[in-house]
């Protein structure tokens, strides 16, 4: 018997459940419930304390044999334990359709109850999942409860805690488009024409149902359409497959992220609309091959990528559109064209932004499979959940043109055994079956084992994490004929910190397991790494080492640098030093401020703009007459340095430095001279440091000046909002949206009367926010600071910090006042909030 589809209820409603949640960690205590909005991270307010998730472990991945105390490993924030959320929601009267909840991720092990009935659960905190709640809802008021629990020693970094990504209630007719079934692929692409394949599944009674598709350009004009009547689209068991030809398609790429809109509509037998769904899509192809390496739209390019953990510094894991836009814009301005969502599933919000701003993505899934990397990690779930997790990753994300590759894992211990190959083939095959258009990779660190067990050979894209000296041998054994630097660098530095004498070091003196260990070193440590970008870890290297391989061999198809931004947890090389609680690997610090290394990558990656950046700062009252090396990060090949007008020499980059086939040695004196200009013997004298750069023809192409700072004179406030056309590196006042979520990022710098940064200022500042918004958070980028992010006071770290201000729901002005009580200074910024 056929059930005839009739649109009895109305149109699809997608309601994001943002406000009016109640939250408690102790639900039996009535007074403990507080009102929160989602996305929410219950642990980010702290307090920081080494007792939270204090891990006494040996990090096997780093080669450790004996367990030692790793206090800041997962961020030293109170994310362990249980958390409870509830709220009401309304189902319209007369509703007799299909109801579901979409969670984009909840940390962790969410159990979802609707009207006191268990509606569903998920295990992995990083994945998106859907729950059919049709049988549990009733017209009128309904109650939704979510309980979460986070196990200790379940993470190698700060995972966050709570409903940290959006939740949506989706109401449709009984006859409706299954949300993840609508799938668009660029099946063919020539100069003049693209062929798009579209798949879709209709749930519920389908007898008499007709379907229409429309593809619209960015201006909203229809490009091509098809309908059951005209084109004979037929549903077979609810499934529909069709294709369109698009002439003169506008292609998606990082440089030109053109998006089309696809609209699918269902009509019942009486011609009434029963459901419609709209998605953004881009036309583009991805291919990897021996002959051409990695190709986007048939054009070979090397991936210039960064790895990103999911936390947003002082906002924690709670996703926020403005914060994500700021990150992606910063990375694009550096010349970066790809991110790796290490080591887990991305948020939909982040992928939407990558689509619209133009950022390629390697979407990752797991940091471990069966074999645990930490005691209570994902291994507990792998056997029962891995296939479901990969399925949701691919189904939730496969329409994002930005995603160019799936990753089934990072440094999975099973690389070392035969089972690893079988699991790799299975998970890769699952990705292919759900999405035949994208290649699959995994990040391999035990390269010899992975090659020996045939794992590297089995992957569409063999990804090597570090292990540069293994590249040359590896490529001989890889039938694919190419490899990807799936993780590179792991250089460590702190913004504005410079250590003397300037020496390249792998920091093994700080690690009790390393051959160079010196117990005194950690006792005398200050928890900071040098901003000269000369420090790395026993397993890693410097950007310069990676680039020699990237630049000299076509078969290296690109890299993903560890990492674009500092993140909470994993404070290597100070894993055994308290109070370090966040990473040093970032190209930008935890506040999102660029370290010097940002300009090193920019000088090499950004081919549209020139870079001339000098370091260190030039205010060293105690270093008069002492050797204070000066580095210039520039895309120009040659430069001359002057101190107070006296030449320190004109030097050139050394292009004859070839890739290193052995582990780079800290003693290798020339190691940095292919990509940096360095004056190593400069003696400090206060005044003016000036560099003049020259192109290949010897033509003077510009200069950069750094001056010794005078007395602290005022606080400078640079405001950035997402609506600003400008880069987050510059100040530009444009209004916030009155949506209760939008954020302004205000960089506060203590400067002299001419605007030169006071580079060692550590003043305690306080913040007051009045008017149409609230204080949200503050961060100074100091990995050893225990000042909470959500209190309106913090010390400057090397002259700077970032205050985050949040718009309310009302239109008006926000006035932020920053005060330095000790110096009697005050500065105001007014930020408009509009509709
Ligand atoms: C890698 C690992 C990353 C991070 C990094 C630090 O081996 O994949 O998650 O731990 O080391 O250098």
């Amino acid at each position: 018997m056929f059930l005839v589809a009739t649109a009895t209820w109305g149109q699809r409603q997608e309601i994001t459940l943002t406000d009016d949640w109640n939250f408690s960690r102790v639900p039996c205590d009535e007074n403990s419930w507080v009102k929160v909005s989602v996305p929410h991270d219950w642990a980010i307010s702290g307090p920081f304390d080494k007792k939270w998730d204090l891990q006494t472990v040996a990090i096997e991945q780093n080669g450790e044999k004996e367990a030692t105390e790793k206090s800041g490993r997962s961020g030293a924030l109170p994310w362990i334990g249980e958390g409870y959320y509830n709220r009401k929601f309304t189902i319209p009267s007369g509703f007799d359709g299909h109801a579901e909840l979409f969670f984009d991720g909840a940390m962790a092990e969410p159990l979802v109850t609707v009207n006191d009935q268990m509606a569903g659960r998920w295990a992995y905190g990083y994945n998106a999942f859907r729950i059919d709640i049709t049988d549990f809802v009733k017209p009128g008021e309904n109650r939704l409860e979510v309980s979460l629990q986070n196990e200790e020693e379940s993470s190698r970094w700060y995972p966050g805690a709570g409903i940290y990504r959006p939740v949506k209630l989706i109401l449709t007719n009984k006859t409706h488009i299954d949300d993840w079934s609508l799938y668009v692929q660029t099946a063919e692409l020539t100069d003049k024409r693209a062929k798009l394949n579209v798949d879709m599944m209709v749930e519920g009674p389908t007898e008499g149902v007709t379907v229409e598709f429309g593809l619209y350009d960015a201006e909203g004009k229809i490009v091509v359409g098809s309908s059951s009547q005209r084109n004979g689209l037929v549903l077979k068991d609810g499934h529909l497959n069709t294709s369109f030809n698009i002439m003169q398609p506008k292609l998606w790429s990082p440089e030109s992220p053109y998006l089309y809109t696809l609209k699918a509509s269902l009509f019942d037998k009486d011609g009434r609309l029963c459901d419609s769904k709209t998605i953004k899509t881009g036309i583009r192809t991805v291919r990897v091959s021996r002959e051409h390496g990695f190709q986007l739209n048939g054009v070979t390019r090397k991936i210039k990528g960064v790895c990103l953990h999911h936390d947003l510094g002082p906002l924690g894991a709670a996703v926020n559109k403005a914060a994500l836009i700021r990150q992606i814009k910063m990375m694009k301005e550096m010349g970066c064209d790809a991110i790796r969502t290490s080591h887990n599933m991305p948020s939909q919000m982040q992928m939407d932004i990558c689509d619209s701003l133009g950022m390629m993505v390697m979407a990752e899934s797991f940091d471990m499979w069966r074999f645990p990397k930490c005691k209570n990690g994902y291994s507990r779930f792998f056997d029962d959940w891995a296939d479901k997790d990969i399925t949701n990753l691919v189904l939730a994300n496969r329409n994002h043109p930005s995603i160019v590759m799936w990753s089934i894992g990072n440094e999975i211990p099973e690389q070392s055994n035969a089972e690893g190959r079988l699991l790799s083939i299975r998970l890769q095959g699952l990705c292919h079956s759900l999405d035949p258009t994208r290649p699959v990779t995994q990040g391999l660190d035990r390269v010899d084992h992975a090659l020996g067990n045939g794992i590297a050979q089995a992957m569409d894209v063999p990804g090597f994490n570090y292990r540069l000296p293994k590249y040359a041998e590896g490529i001989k054994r890889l039938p694919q004929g190419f490899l990807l630097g799936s993780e590179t660098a792991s250089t460590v530095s702190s913004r504005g910190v410079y250590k003397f004498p300037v020496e390249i070091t792998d920091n093994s003196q700080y690690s009790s397991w390393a051959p160079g260990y010196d117990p005194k070193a950690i006792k005398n440590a200050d928890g900071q790494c040098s901003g000269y970008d000369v420090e790395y870890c026993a397993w890693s290297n410097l950007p310069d080492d990676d680039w020699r391989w990237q630049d000299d061999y076509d078969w290296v198809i690109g890299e993903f640098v560890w990492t674009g931004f500092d993140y909470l947890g994993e404070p290597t090389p100070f894993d055994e030093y308290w109070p370090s609680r966040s990473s040093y690997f970032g190209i930008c610090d935890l506040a999102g401020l660029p370290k010097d290394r940002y300009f090193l990558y920019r000088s090499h990656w950004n081919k549209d703009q020139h870079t001339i950046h000098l370091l260190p700062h030039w205010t060293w009252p105690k270093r008069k007459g002492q050797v204070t090396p000066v580095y210039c990060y520039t895309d120009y090949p040659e430069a001359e340095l002057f101190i107070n007008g006296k030449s320190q020499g004109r030097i050139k980059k050394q292009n004859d430095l070839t890739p290193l086939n052995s582990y780079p040695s800290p003693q290798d004196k020339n190691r940095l001279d292919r990509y940096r200009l360095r004056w190593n013997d400069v003696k400090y004298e206060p005044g003016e440091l000036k560099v003049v750069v020259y192109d290949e023809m010897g033509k003077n192409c510009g200069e950069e000046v750094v001056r010794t700072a005078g007395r602290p004179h005022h606080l400078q406030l640079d405001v950035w909002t997402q609506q600003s056309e400008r880069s987050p590196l510059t100040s530009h006042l444009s209004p916030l949206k009155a949506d209760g979520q939008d954020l302004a990022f205000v960089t506060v710098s203590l400067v002299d009367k001419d605007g030169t940064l006071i580079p060692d200022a550590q003043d305690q500042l306080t913040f007051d926010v009045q008017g149409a918004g609230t204080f949200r958070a503050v961060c100074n980028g100091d990995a050893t600071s225990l000042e909470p992010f959500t209190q309106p006071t913090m010390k400057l770290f090397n002259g700077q910090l970032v205050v985050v201000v949040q718009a309310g729901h009302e239109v008006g002005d926000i006035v932020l006042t920053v005060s330095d009580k000790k110096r009697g200074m005050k500065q105001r910024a007014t930020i408009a909030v509009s509709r």
Side-chain angles (χ1 to χ4, degrees):
M1 190 190 81
F2 284 117
L3 286 174
V4 177
T6 39
T8 52
W9 174 64
Q11 305 280 307
R12 165 182 288 256
Q13 286 186 13
E14 297 195 358
I15 305 147
T16 306
L17 304 178
T18 306
D19 297 323
D20 299 323
W21 289 86
N22 303 304
F23 167 71
S24 169
R25 302 215 49 199
V26 227
C28 43
D29 174 1
E30 272 183 26
N31 300 322
S32 70
W33 290 93
V34 286
K35 276 256 173 303
V36 298
S37 57
V38 161
H40 178 242
D41 181 340
W42 84 57
I44 195 62
S45 295
F48 285 108
D49 197 316
K50 74 189 282 192
K51 74 179 181 207
W52 309 124
D53 198 33
L54 182 61
Q55 300 192 18
T56 302
V57 292
I59 305 178
E60 284 180 29
Q61 161 213 10
N62 297 356
E64 300 183 17
K65 299 270 183 294
E66 276 174 37
T68 54
E69 188 177 286
K70 308 285 178 346
S71 38
R73 193 179 192 202
S74 66
L77 287 165
W79 59 273
I80 309 287
E82 294 173 1
Y84 300 86
Y85 293 80
N86 67 55
R87 59 160 281 159
K88 295 182 182 123
F89 64 95
T90 306
I91 294 288
S93 65
F95 176 77
D96 65 348
H98 170 84
E100 69 175 59
L101 289 168
F102 168 79
F103 285 80
D104 200 24
M107 195 62 74
E109 301 184 53
L111 293 179
V112 180
T113 308
V114 174
N115 297 330
D116 294 325
Q117 299 170 82
M118 174 57 66
R121 62 181 281 243
W122 204 260
Y124 201 20
Y126 288 104
N127 216 347
F129 60 97
R130 296 161 56 190
I131 297 184
D132 183 348
I133 55 168
T134 311
D135 292 341
F136 305 121
V137 294
K138 54 182 196 304
E141 193 177 282
N142 291 258
R143 183 178 162 84
L144 166 64
E145 289 168 274
V146 182
S147 64
L148 301 166
Q149 90 171 19
N150 287 303
E151 293 287 334
E152 61 178 9
E153 290 195 35
S154 55
S155 185
R156 299 194 294 116
W157 55 84
Y158 176 70
I163 309 181
Y164 70 109
R165 290 179 181 173
V167 182
K168 261 197 259 176
L169 171 68
I170 302 167
L171 304 177
T172 55
N173 268 307
K174 275 204 182 85
T175 299
H176 63 276
I177 300 165
D178 175 77
D179 257 34
W180 287 348
S181 71
L182 186 57
Y183 173 37
V184 194
Q185 310 164 45
T186 308
E188 287 168 25
L189 185 63
T190 64
D191 285 352
K192 300 192 180 60
R193 184 184 71 92
K195 183 177 162 204
L196 296 192
N197 278 352
V198 181
D199 266 285
M200 194 174 80
M201 189 75 202
V202 178
E203 296 290 346
T206 55
E207 176 69 2
V209 165
T210 57
V211 183
E212 255 182 45
F213 286 109
L215 187 78
Y216 300 83
D217 67 14
E219 279 78 51
K221 285 200 232 87
I222 185 129
V223 179
V224 54
S226 65
S227 72
S228 297
Q229 286 89 347
R230 275 182 286 121
N231 308 72
L233 298 182
V234 188
L235 286 169
K236 279 201 195 96
D237 300 327
H239 181 240
L240 189 140
N241 177 275
T242 186
S243 55
F244 305 109
N245 281 317
I246 292 130
M247 307 314 284
Q248 316 292 346
K250 295 204 175 83
L251 304 186
W252 184 95
S253 70
E255 294 71 35
S256 166
Y258 194 89
L259 293 177
Y260 290 89
T261 300
L262 179 81
K263 186 169 180 192
S265 309
L266 298 185
F267 299 90
D268 71 7
K269 66 172 190 351
D270 302 319
R272 281 180 303 179
L273 185 67
C274 28
D275 193 13
S276 69
K277 190 163 171 59
T278 309
I279 56 166
K280 291 257 197 262
T281 184
I283 300 177
R284 58 114 190 87
T285 56
V286 176
R287 214 175 147 232
V288 281
S289 67
R290 165 184 290 279
E291 301 72 38
H292 305 293
F294 173 81
Q295 290 181 301
L296 186 75
N297 300 327
V299 180
T300 299
R301 57 192 292 157
K302 288 217 185 204
I303 295 171
K304 298 180 282 186
V306 294
C307 302
L308 294 184
H309 263 310
H310 70 310
D311 79 59
L312 292 166
L315 308 181
V319 286
N320 178 281
K321 191 172 166 194
L324 288 164
I325 290 178
R326 178 172 176 249
Q327 280 202 333
I328 301 295
K329 283 199 168 175
M330 287 279 291
M331 291 295 104
K332 275 189 79 88
E333 162 116 13
M334 187 173 75
C336 165
D337 63 8
I339 62 169
R340 170 185 182 217
T341 65
S342 43
H343 301 298
N344 22 62
M345 289 79 180
S347 65
Q348 291 305 304
M349 206 183 262
Q350 189 185 26
M351 292 305 93
D352 286 344
I353 294 166
C354 289
D355 288 348
S356 62
L357 295 183
M359 182 61 87
M360 295 188 289
V361 176
M362 177 208 287
E364 199 153 72
S365 46
F366 306 124
D367 190 45
M368 65 191 90
W369 294 344
R370 280 205 178 121
F371 191 88
K373 280 192 193 168
C374 31
K375 195 170 78 188
N376 294 315
Y378 185 75
S379 316
R380 290 185 292 144
F381 304 122
F382 183 83
D383 282 343
D384 294 336
W385 288 87
D387 286 8
K388 290 182 222 157
D389 273 318
I390 289 284
T391 301
N392 278 21
L393 165 69
V394 177
L395 293 186
N397 290 292
R398 60 189 175 170
N399 285 315
H400 289 290
S402 52
I403 298 180
V404 295
M405 211 178 279
W406 305 110
S407 164
I408 55 171
N410 173 61
E411 300 188 349
I412 300 296
E414 282 90 338
Q415 286 162 88
S416 297
N417 58 44
E419 188 196 15
R421 181 164 171 276
L422 297 177
L423 287 172
S424 301
I425 291 170
R426 189 183 99 206
L427 295 178
Q428 175 167 270
L430 182 56
C431 294
H432 289 162
S433 71
L434 299 163
D435 171 34
T437 69
R438 291 174 178 92
V440 180
T441 190
Q442 65 175 305
L444 303 165
D445 62 327
R446 304 180 190 179
V447 169
D448 293 332
H449 296 181
L451 284 163
N453 289 322
I455 296 172
Q457 292 88 334
M459 301 306 300
D460 297 336
V461 176
F464 281 33
N465 283 10
Y466 312 97
R467 314 291 180 262
L468 295 173
K470 304 272 177 191
Y471 276 27
E473 200 216 316
I475 195 66
K476 289 192 210 134
R477 300 173 66 185
L478 288 168
Q480 296 92 328
F482 59 85
L483 63 84
L484 168 69
S486 40
E487 203 171 300
T488 59
S490 268
T491 297
V492 284
S493 60
S494 308
R495 175 182 53 76
V497 171
Y498 303 94
K499 296 198 171 178
F500 302 97
V502 179
E503 275 166 3
I504 296 178
T505 170
D506 67 3
N507 281 313
S508 52
Q509 70 274 21
Y510 295 130
S511 306
S512 52
W513 53 274
Y517 179 54
D518 169 8
K520 278 195 264 92
I522 202 91
K523 288 210 179 78
N524 298 330
D526 61 355
Q528 306 296 348
C529 301
S530 178
Y532 276 102
D533 303 318
V534 288
E535 298 188 20
Y536 55 106
C537 315
W539 59 89
S540 68
N541 50 265
L542 298 169
D544 316 59
D545 306 325
D546 295 315
W547 291 342
R548 293 203 208 175
W549 287 97
Q550 296 290 333
D551 291 351
D552 289 359
Y553 291 102
D554 287 343
W555 45 263
V556 184
I557 63 169
E559 67 171 321
F560 286 91
V561 176
W562 192 265
T563 47
F565 292 83
D566 279 339
Y567 51 92
L568 289 158
E570 208 181 32
T572 311
F574 297 114
D575 296 308
E576 296 172 22
Y577 173 87
W578 178 252
S580 289
R581 47 64 173 162
S582 56
S583 83
Y584 301 81
F585 295 114
I587 292 172
C588 300
D589 72 12
L590 198 70
L593 295 173
K595 301 178 187 173
D596 291 298
R597 200 149 25 107
Y598 182 91
F599 300 96
L600 182 57
Y601 280 99
R602 190 182 192 274
S603 71
H604 192 53
W605 279 358
N606 186 333
K607 303 292 176 209
D608 298 328
Q609 284 160 302
H610 293 292
T611 300
I612 315 172
H613 178 77
L614 275 179
L615 62 136
H617 64 76
W618 210 239
T619 308
W620 299 102
K622 296 193 185 133
R623 296 195 62 78
K624 280 189 193 136
Q626 291 185 50
V627 172
T628 307
V630 174
Y631 289 11
C632 177
Y633 296 160
T634 178
D635 52 309
Y636 290 104
E638 189 176 357
E640 183 166 9
L641 183 75
F642 299 88
I643 298 180
N644 296 328
K646 281 174 282 178
S647 175
Q648 307 294 308
R650 181 164 161 170
I651 57 174
K652 271 190 182 166
K653 290 181 187 164
Q654 292 183 25
N655 287 331
D656 52 349
L657 297 172
T658 53
L660 297 160
N661 264 311
S662 56
Y663 278 98
S665 156
Q667 278 74 45
D668 180 348
K669 291 276 177 265
N670 293 336
R671 191 167 160 192
L672 307 180
D673 293 330
R674 179 161 164 188
Y675 298 100
R676 316 184 194 195
L677 291 166
R678 302 189 299 153
W679 293 264
N680 293 316
D681 304 319
V682 171
K683 296 223 170 84
Y684 176 74
E685 66 180 61
E688 183 194 83
L689 191 65
K690 181 170 91 176
V691 72
V692 180
V693 295
Y694 298 90
D695 69 8
E696 285 76 8
M697 312 303 288
K699 188 173 135 227
N700 178 333
C701 288
E703 59 181 54
E704 172 74 6
V705 174
V706 173
R707 292 193 176 83
T708 303
R711 286 163 184 271
H713 183 265
H714 62 275
L715 292 162
Q716 184 178 304
L717 272 44
D718 294 306
V719 184
W720 183 85
T721 65
Q722 60 162 307
Q723 294 189 56
S724 159
E725 286 303 306
R726 304 263 204 96
S727 126
L729 292 177
T730 57
S731 176
H732 186 58
L733 265 181
S734 37
L736 291 176
K737 274 185 243 133
D739 61 2
Q741 296 287 321
D742 202 2
L743 301 177
F745 292 83
V746 185
T747 304
V748 181
S749 313
L750 182 65
V751 295
D752 71 5
K753 68 177 180 4
D754 302 316
T756 300
L757 185 73
I758 310 298
D760 57 351
Q762 318 287 340
D763 299 27
Q764 189 78 42
L765 305 185
T766 54
F767 318 105
D768 175 65
V769 178
Q770 299 291 331
T774 49
F775 168 83
R776 168 79 187 257
V778 56
C779 182
N780 62 13
D782 176 1
T784 65
S785 165
L786 299 181
E787 291 183 285
F789 297 128
T790 52
Q791 294 297 315
T793 178
M794 189 169 277
K795 282 197 178 82
L796 290 167
F797 179 57
N798 296 327
Q800 291 189 298
L801 54 72
V802 175
V803 184
V804 187
V805 173
Q806 182 160 330
H809 291 279
E810 304 299 326
V811 166
D813 278 346
I814 300 178
V815 181
L816 163 70
T817 309
V818 181
S819 313
D820 183 333
K821 294 215 171 84
K822 199 178 94 199
R823 295 187 203 271
M825 289 177 189
K826 241 184 204 169
Q827 198 64 258
R828 279 206 176 90
T830 304
I831 306 156
V833 180
S834 64
R835 282 276 162 245

